[in-house]
Amino acid sequence: MITVREVSKSFSNQRVLNKTSLTCQKGEILGLLGPNGAGKTTLIRVLNGVILPDSGEISINGYDPVIDGHEIRKVTGIVTESAGLYHQMNAVENLAFFADIYGVKNKSRIYDLLRQFGLDDHKSKPIGTYSTGMKKRLALAKALLHEPSILYLDEPTNGLDPDGISMVLSYLKEYNYQNGTTVLICSHVLHQLENVCSSFAFLDNGHIIDSGSLLQLQEKYSTHIKLNIHTNMKIENGNVSGFPCEQLENNHIRVTVNHKDEISPLLKNILLEHWIHSVAIEEQDLESIYFMIRSRNNE
Amino acid sequence: MNRTVLKAITKKDIKDIFRSKTLLLTIILIPVIFSLIIPAGVVSTILYFDFELDTGTQKMLDKFLLKVGNEEILAFSLKEQLVYLFVNYMMVSLFLLIPVITASTIAANSLVGEKERKTLESLLFAPITVKELFISKILSSFIPAFSVSLISFILSGIIINGLSYSTFKELIFPSMNWIVLVLLLLPMVLILTILLNVLISSRVKTYQEATNLGGIIVLPVLGILIGQVSGLFFLGLGLMVILSTIILIINLVLLRQIAKYNDRHLLFEKQI
């Protein structure tokens, strides 16, 4: 379990973390979201004990990174933005080196991970010849070598193609499910995390402005629900069953309801005389919530 | 102290020397110049070309020889005297440039090379102590530089004895001066060079900055060389032991300073 209480950190005169507080339960995948420069990377570095906070308290599995950094580093794996690999060495040499550093005795794990991340055919090539996506996958394999109980991932999908993103994210979800690993993912590509993280924390100007599961955040920030319905119903007086409605192109209408409970009766009413081919809830995705949180915070 | 960690980092760094053309060229070229080309050139010029010294220069040479050795040397022929002086004094300080230049080149790259490749953060995020990191980096510079120095010593011996045997009818290399140099002064100078360069390497952000600052370490060695040539002082046994003791003390102080002022947070923030 990770607990951060009012942690602040400044570099020169610039405050990067400003009384940041967050909690990440054991086995949870927490998405740490925020714009560039929000303090996500600094927070990960502070959690790993490589940067000292100016103030505040941190507890990681009961350890304080300021005092027990070494113990924390033994059980954490990390993927940084730059991947941190040796470009002159090949994939096997890189993983073998880090296996020694992390005290991994079972060397077959190197080859298992290379296979799992689709790098088996490229294991003898120098990393300098790898694409950004391949480097990211190898960096993730490096972070998982010692089977850490906590994973810090800083922009793990940057530079990956859609296949790579899908491979990495589904592997992470599966790994978390099988091993109960606590995962903290920093990203600003929100839609990728929507189905991976169990909860989210929004960081802005070094401060957590809100956190919770997607459902909790939707309930908190959505005052109404917009439904995009594909139907042959034609709107005449701007409402359907008493709800405001607008006609869209190609047999689509947009109806605004106040609560999820109102959706089923509304659809039932429409279906009495018309067909419905699809229904989609608009502006309830993570990205819309993110902008709502930020705009409310900036008010 | 985790030996696996020390071995892994040292092995990686030494392999890297063979992967880097610049580093490899330096550690091959410098010994070839200072232990083969210069001694072979000087000794063969003295022995196989005819020349005469004017009275003033001869008197100065006699003074040098009296200062450094015993009166027996004065009975040597001019060629023998010059070879004796070059092999036992001039070349000793010239030889010191081999460990200093090779170790500076390798050690300057030690930490700043990791910073430039953005791999230092991977090491600092790992469960290794800063002490293990520094010791590995010191070993990664010491092992190749000392090996190169030993190989150079053997090569010099072969060249000098090979060229001078017909004149002296005995092996003139290694003298006691050389043995003390290789076993005492050279390791001390080598460690000093490495410690200073690793310290510089931990504080600067580019290899160029590290080599610019590290290059200053060559100056005292050049000072010794100029001292020999000008006759100001001679690096004899006594002076070598005194110098080694002083450098040993400086090395111990430096080691303490490195341990005291280089914590993980400082190292990490210096590379951002």
Side-chain angles (χ1 to χ4, degrees), chain A residues 9 11 44-45 48-52 66 70 73-74 76 78 80-86 88-89 93 97-98 100-102 142, chain B residues 2 4-5 8-9 12 15-16 19 114 117-129 132 264-266 268-269 271-272:
Chain A
K9 175 70 188 174
F11 293 109
I44 282 190
R45 287 168 173 174
N48 210 269
V50 293
I51 285 182
L52 287 179
V66 177
H70 199 69
R73 285 185 285 274
K74 277 184 194 168
T76 52
I78 187 159
T80 56
E81 244 185 307
S82 62
L85 299 161
Y86 291 95
Q88 70 279 24
M89 284 155 60
E93 287 171 330
F97 171 71
F98 284 105
D100 283 341
I101 296 288
Y102 281 90
K142 180 195 91 177
Chain B
N2 186 334
T4 315
V5 167
I9 299 177
K12 169 189 78 66
K15 268 189 174 178
D16 275 353
R19 285 189 177 114
E114 302 270 5
R117 287 175 299 195
K118 298 192 187 300
T119 44
L120 184 61
E121 67 170 9
S122 283
L123 294 176
L124 295 174
F125 276 130
I128 62 168
T129 63
E132 284 163 352
R264 189 177 296 265
H265 319 110
L266 189 75
F268 198 93
E269 288 187 24
Q271 54 120 39
I272 299 174

